[in-house]
Amino acid sequence: MTKGLLTTAVGSYPKPDYLTQARNRLARREIGQEELRELERKATEEWVRFQEEIGMDILVDGEMYRGDMVTYFSENMEGWAISGLVRSYGNRYYRKPVATGPVRRKGPITLEWWRYTQGLTKKPVKGMLTGPYTMADWSFNEHYPTREAFVLDLARAVHEEALDLEKAGARYIQIDEPAVSTRPEEMELAVKALGIVTKGLSAYTITHICYGDFAAVFDGLLRLPVDNLDLEMTNSNYNLLGLFRERKGKLKKDLSMGVLDVHSHLIETVDQVKKGIRLGLEVFAPERLYIDPDCGLKTREVEEAKAKLRVMATAVREVKQELGIE
Amino acid sequence: MILPYALCSVNFRLLLPVPLGAATMDATLRKGFLLLTATVVGSYPKLPAQAGAPNLRTALARLERGQITAEEFQRTEDLVTEVVIKEQVQAGVGLISDGQIRWEDGQTYFARRIGGFSINGLIRYFNNNTYFRQPAVTGKLGWQGPIGVRDFLFAKERSPVPVKAVITGPYTLARLSQDQAYHNLRTLVLDLAEVLNQEAIALQRSGATFIQFDEPAILKWKGDFALFEEACRRLTRGLTAKTALYLYFWDIGELYPDLFHLPFQAYGLDFVSGEANYQIVKEFPSDKELGLGILDGRNTRLEPVEELVEGVRRMSSVVSLDRMYVSPSCGLEFLPRDRANQKLVRLVEGVKKAREALS
């Protein structure tokens, strides 16, 4: 593997049309679970081949088999029900998980998919988990008397899952916590919960956070017990780097820097991305700077996502050549 | 009363005046005779719990595909609003809203009818896992005519109990917008206060006796209280209707006690996400009314009646029951429809029990 500026992805990729259609057909009971599973495997393999082709360093399975990042876990655990429809925005509605009893793992949740994906490639595949704070914050709670009790029970369940992934050989484990930036007043709880998740892990741990007013929670983010913080950067025009620059020399964590806007149809140019990477290099040494998209790419078209990822790969390769770190 | 859509499944008998008619109730409310009024904060889930009922999601999708006209879409909005009014009245809520069925979100509904705004991309709504389209201020803001008057009158004509008119306040609207024109929060907020004052006057002229301003943003940026106060004075100028300030998602913290000296007759606070309000509000002006948001509007857990009675009891030493409203902590649109309805029923059960236990 190369030294520095490792490339990866935040987690989700768009589902190919045949898979979206198959999911709808399953919902209408026109096909069975096994037929869908076969297509999910096919789509996963296609994304693995694509990531290898562009020379990505740390791969993801693309989450072809997941719908919502919280619901996927709740559906595969004990203690959960699913709500009636609630509105997300505009004309978009979804069903929200409801904790109706103690939330526990029935068994491994993501392990089988991780093993399958790792079996397809020699490159490391990241274990991808939704963090306990986000799971609790984005669910209804009809069981626990306090948010803290809910979050901490979830932390223990996610910890078990992380241990299973590590035992199976995962060298990178990412625990997504997008919700932590929206409630600065609960940052301590998020830190404590993530501490339970990552306790005793020897794998390299990453947490992805988005959406929030980062300045208000930045000190808290730096205390999250993981090796690497994964933040969106293009969204803020790389202004977020300023927060790191102020603490240059004192930073203990590595950074995964988002260089692709996942909300835009526009494909970034290689020069735009290279400029972003160079800004990151002003604060972080290359071996501590990872490069990825701002967030999951699942809302883009397959071809848009691929075009963006190709630009990212080219930009990283060129910067590395210029720095002589190939 | 004209009921043009009486052929649908709505039971209109429930919408006809009940013995305690709207006019009487209005007068009663204004004098504050009622012990503990059950009310709502505003929004209500748009989709029905059962198939077959008027469905806005389907209607909007068909409108976007050009399969129905704007008028046909509005007819669905009207039908859903009638059902939502009925659910509130049937539950026994004493002061209802129109459910804000026609609101895309709390910002867009106003911004798209105010001169100087355009509507941008999606952003997260405070600390909720929901999004709204962010208004962008692109020029001098100006009131161009009534925004919510037609919708208020629609609800008022169909409700046997008083209907509150709700306006997203100038501070919150400004804070949640992207300022591309003023580059100055103060002048932006104050201009919006003038605009929304005209809207409130229009609602008052159309018969609104209870006008509520929603300002959750001031709880997130409490340091702006001086500006907020200035805006509230402009906002309420010339209003003789009862005015209320509703603040949710957090406690009021250091805004106590200055908050209660603003020119509003009633205050609605969140005692769920802002549980600390129980300790913070030690005293309350004797000429004002307090709304207790004690049912969680953001969680499906159905509170036991005793819990509601206990909430009322805790504040009854600070505010007398004839000056107290009880409501969910925020709008109910965060919940699925059936649970929102169950919350309203539970709210009224709690109010009745609290009246018995405490009066």
Side-chain angles (χ1 to χ4, degrees):
Chain A
M1 200 181 282
T2 51
K3 293 175 293 179
L5 294 184
L6 296 183
T7 50
T8 187
V10 177
S12 68
Y13 288 137
K15 295 181 176 72
D17 287 342
Y18 65 79
L19 185 54
T20 310
Q21 283 158 16
R23 286 168 70 90
N24 292 337
R25 292 182 63 202
L26 182 89
R28 293 196 300 266
R29 298 198 179 129
E30 292 166 14
I31 58 166
Q33 195 68 51
E34 198 37 51
E35 237 174 305
L36 178 69
R37 190 55 51 92
E38 203 48 54
L39 295 173
E40 289 168 346
R41 285 196 199 101
K42 173 172 143 74
T44 305
E45 179 161 10
E46 285 167 5
W47 277 115
V48 168
R49 297 298 161 240
F50 174 79
Q51 294 172 94
E52 287 181 327
E53 178 198 316
I54 64 167
M56 194 179 272
D57 298 303
I58 306 163
L59 312 195
V60 295
D61 68 17
E63 303 176 9
M64 294 297 109
Y65 52 94
R66 298 188 195 181
D68 176 82
M69 65 182 280
V70 175
T71 309
Y72 171 72
F73 285 88
S74 72
E75 280 172 349
N76 288 286
M77 290 171 72
E78 268 172 22
W80 294 95
I82 196 83
S83 82
L85 290 168
V86 291
R87 197 160 69 104
S88 169
Y89 62 88
N91 211 22
R92 293 284 286 272
Y93 293 80
Y94 71 111
R95 293 177 193 279
K96 212 164 155 169
V98 189
T100 53
V103 291
R104 294 197 191 103
R105 274 198 337 160
K106 292 182 280 195
I109 301 166
T110 62
L111 196 61
E112 191 191 326
W113 275 108
W114 183 85
R115 278 204 176 112
Y116 168 76
T117 313
Q118 188 62 81
L120 298 170
T121 179
K122 291 193 165 60
K123 292 277 182 78
V125 173
K126 265 195 285 196
M128 298 296 302
L129 304 173
T130 301
Y133 183 82
T134 299
M135 282 199 69
D137 195 47
W138 291 0
S139 302
F140 293 129
N141 165 24
E142 298 187 4
H143 173 72
Y144 291 93
T146 63
R147 285 169 64 86
E148 179 166 7
F150 186 19
V151 172
L152 296 185
D153 247 12
L154 279 164
R156 289 182 270 272
V158 179
H159 175 65
E160 289 172 20
E161 184 70 15
L163 282 180
D164 278 350
L165 284 167
E166 183 172 283
K167 255 184 256 161
R171 288 155 53 201
Y172 295 89
I173 298 176
Q174 179 171 318
I175 307 111
D176 290 338
E177 284 288 22
V180 305
S181 59
T182 62
R183 291 179 192 255
E185 66 274 21
E186 287 188 333
M187 187 49 104
E188 286 319 305
L189 175 57
V191 170
K192 189 172 168 188
L194 204 52
I196 293 172
V197 175
T198 57
K199 191 173 178 207
L201 291 181
S202 53
Y204 184 83
T205 54
I206 303 157
T207 189
H208 169 72
I209 291 163
C210 48
Y211 307 119
D213 175 6
F214 288 108
V217 293
F218 196 67
D219 286 322
L221 295 185
L222 294 179
R223 275 185 285 115
L224 287 168
V226 287
D227 301 310
N228 184 308
L229 271 185
D230 179 23
L231 304 177
E232 51 189 5
M233 287 288 168
T234 52
N235 224 349
S236 70
N237 236 331
Y238 296 91
N239 286 338
L240 263 181
L241 272 173
L243 294 169
F244 288 96
R245 195 172 287 121
E246 287 167 21
R247 294 163 178 82
K248 198 178 166 181
K250 287 180 240 160
L251 295 164
K252 297 200 174 63
K253 288 191 207 321
D254 301 342
L255 176 71
S256 293
M257 186 170 80
V259 297
L260 300 173
D261 185 351
V262 300
H263 299 296
S264 167
H265 294 287
L266 294 176
I267 311 297
E268 287 77 0
T269 65
V270 171
D271 278 346
Q272 277 173 332
V273 174
K274 282 170 74 175
K275 215 171 135 191
I277 296 170
R278 288 198 198 97
L279 286 171
L281 285 169
E282 289 174 11
V283 187
F284 286 88
E287 62 275 14
R288 296 189 54 194
L289 188 63
Y290 294 65
I291 306 297
D292 65 1
D294 268 4
C295 197
L297 280 161
K298 70 175 177 185
T299 56
R300 299 270 60 83
E301 300 287 326
V302 172
E303 287 313 313
E304 279 172 0
K306 286 186 173 174
K308 280 175 177 270
L309 290 166
R310 279 199 189 95
V311 167
M312 179 177 97
T314 306
V316 170
R317 197 162 50 241
E318 291 185 13
V319 172
K320 284 209 272 197
Q321 276 163 5
E322 286 161 24
L323 293 174
I325 57 169
E326 189 61 42
Chain B
M1 191 164 13
I2 302 161
L3 296 169
Y5 316 117
L7 292 175
C8 80
S9 61
V10 181
N11 181 355
F12 285 99
R13 273 177 306 165
L14 283 156
L15 300 181
L16 296 171
V18 293
L20 188 59
T24 330
M25 283 282 282
D26 270 5
T28 314
L29 262 177
R30 291 175 77 173
K31 287 180 199 156
F33 281 168
L34 280 180
L35 287 184
L36 284 180
T37 303
T39 189
V40 291
V41 175
S43 69
Y44 201 70
K46 298 188 200 310
L47 295 192
Q50 274 90 34
N55 189 310
L56 264 185
R57 187 194 203 182
T58 318
L60 185 54
R62 296 184 66 201
L63 177 73
E64 281 167 356
R65 287 198 296 265
Q67 293 164 343
I68 59 168
T69 63
E71 289 72 34
E72 286 171 305
F73 176 69
Q74 195 183 48
R75 201 168 307 148
T76 306
E77 288 182 321
D78 288 349
L79 287 171
V80 175
T81 302
E82 283 171 344
V83 173
V84 165
I85 290 170
K86 186 188 116 181
E87 284 193 16
Q88 295 175 82
V89 172
Q90 200 167 26
V93 177
L95 174 62
I96 67 163
S97 76
D98 75 348
Q100 300 170 358
I101 295 307
R102 299 174 177 88
W103 295 30
E104 303 88 336
D105 56 68
Q107 292 62 248
T108 307
Y109 179 77
F110 293 94
R112 72 181 156 98
R113 296 178 182 86
I114 293 173
F117 269 123
S118 64
I119 307 294
N120 267 5
L122 291 171
I123 61 165
R124 186 169 290 264
Y125 181 58
F126 294 113
N127 51 21
N128 301 289
N129 193 18
T130 62
Y131 301 79
F132 67 96
R133 293 212 173 273
Q134 187 176 35
V137 182
T138 53
K140 173 84 177 162
L141 298 171
W143 190 69
Q144 296 179 315
I147 297 166
V149 168
R150 184 253 172 210
D151 297 344
F152 170 74
L153 287 173
F154 180 92
K156 184 174 180 270
E157 283 158 14
R158 283 157 182 80
S159 173
V161 300
V163 178
K164 56 166 72 171
V166 182
I167 295 175
T168 301
Y171 182 79
T172 297
L173 197 48
R175 265 295 185 182
L176 298 186
S177 299
Q178 201 180 74
D179 177 8
Q180 300 172 358
Y182 282 67
H183 307 295
N184 182 319
L185 182 66
R186 182 172 177 273
T187 50
L188 173 59
V189 170
L190 295 181
D191 265 14
L192 262 175
E194 297 288 354
V195 169
L196 296 172
N197 172 257
Q198 285 175 275
E199 174 65 13
I201 297 277
L203 283 163
Q204 179 173 281
R205 283 207 188 107
S206 72
T209 53
F210 188 108
I211 302 176
Q212 171 180 314
F213 299 95
D214 284 11
E215 284 283 21
I218 192 58
L219 298 184
K220 190 170 173 192
W221 291 282
K222 294 187 178 86
D224 280 340
F225 188 71
L227 167 60
F228 184 69
E229 184 171 11
E230 198 179 352
C232 289
R233 300 210 181 278
R234 291 199 192 193
L235 180 65
T236 53
R237 198 181 291 154
L239 292 177
T240 51
K242 182 179 284 183
T243 54
L245 180 68
Y246 267 64
L247 307 174
Y248 36 85
F249 300 148
W250 293 277
D251 62 63
I252 60 170
E254 65 268 27
L255 298 190
Y256 176 86
D258 295 350
L259 183 69
F260 300 136
H261 302 302
L262 294 175
F264 301 96
Q265 280 88 60
Y267 291 85
L269 307 183
D270 181 340
F271 285 79
V272 178
S273 295
E275 203 187 345
N277 281 331
Y278 282 116
Q279 281 90 48
I280 293 168
V281 185
K282 290 194 173 67
E283 284 180 52
F284 191 75
S286 60
D287 58 340
K288 299 205 171 184
E289 298 176 338
L290 185 64
L292 306 187
I294 53 178
L295 262 93
D296 195 341
R298 297 194 281 180
N299 192 10
T300 48
R301 175 181 168 268
L302 207 49
E303 290 82 353
V305 169
E306 303 73 51
E307 208 174 295
L308 305 179
V309 175
E310 176 59 15
V312 173
R313 194 197 56 73
R314 287 178 75 176
M315 292 312 292
S316 61
S317 56
V318 179
V319 191
S320 59
L321 297 191
D322 60 331
R323 290 184 295 118
M324 207 187 269
Y325 298 89
V326 186
S327 71
S329 56
C330 58
L332 289 171
E333 212 199 335
F334 299 104
L335 303 175
R337 172 73 74 80
D338 50 353
R339 188 42 58 102
N341 190 18
Q342 287 158 357
K343 287 251 178 184
L344 290 183
V345 171
R346 184 56 55 89
L347 168 73
V348 174
E349 285 169 5
V351 162
K352 284 182 182 157
K353 200 66 177 236
R355 276 187 203 137
E356 286 168 23
L358 302 170
S359 63

